[in-house]
Amino acid sequence: MSENNSPTPPVGPTPPGYNAPEPTGPVPYQQPGYSQPAQQAPAQYQQPATAPQYPQTPAQQPYPQAPSQQYQQGAVDPAGTVVLNYWLSVFFSWIPALIFFLTEKGKNSLADDFHRQNLNFSILRVIAFVLTFIPYLGVVFGIAGVALFIIHIIAAVNAPQQLRNGQTYKFPFNVQFIK
């Protein structure tokens, strides 16, 4: 019989310090002589091949969109830009009107008309404001400026709905500086 001089591997947990692999992270506390129970891998969720189809009730079916609301996915809604343009122009005068007129030009012909009308009206408001500094006539132009401010607020409320309906919006009083 030949004797094997190699040590036999220990059975069970290896005591610390006897060629045990070094832990790589924080070691949880264990009472001596106890080992942690084996953890089971979580069961994998299998999605069904097809989703169940349920009939839609009339209340759940989407309403047909107006032709002006049908735009490509990823494109900006022209009614949203008109709303933003008009409200910014009410408070910040001709600057947002000019920005929208230049950046949105050619994207939607109906929205182009709205942006042009708004820019013309904003320029008219600026002229009325400048004319308020004329002695004696300034009071008249100041009152006109307040009236134009109110008309611009009314336009900011009504114009987007007109665009959604496919109609053009005309200010009650406007001068065509930009054609």
Side-chain angles (χ1 to χ4, degrees), residues 112-172:
D112 286 349
D113 183 53
F114 278 80
H115 294 306
R116 183 176 31 264
Q117 294 290 331
N118 189 42
L119 178 60
N120 286 326
F121 195 76
S122 296
I123 292 171
L124 183 66
R125 281 186 55 207
V126 168
I127 291 171
F129 174 74
V130 170
L131 292 177
T132 60
F133 293 107
I134 297 175
Y136 303 112
L137 290 176
V139 174
V140 174
F141 287 111
I143 293 171
V146 170
L148 292 176
F149 177 74
I150 293 169
I151 290 171
H152 212 166
I153 291 174
I154 293 169
V157 171
N158 294 333
Q161 187 59 39
Q162 294 289 101
L163 178 67
R164 288 184 187 104
N165 292 338
Q167 302 169 349
T168 59
Y169 182 81
K170 300 291 181 191
F171 284 90

Side-chain angles (χ1 to χ4, degrees), residues 7 13 17 57 75 109 137 144 175:
T57 62
S109 61
L137 290 176
V175 177

Side-chain angles (χ1 to χ4, degrees), residues 23 25-37 39:
V27 179
Y29 173 75
Q30 290 183 356
Q31 289 184 344
Y34 294 101
S35 63
Q36 290 184 344
Q39 295 181 356

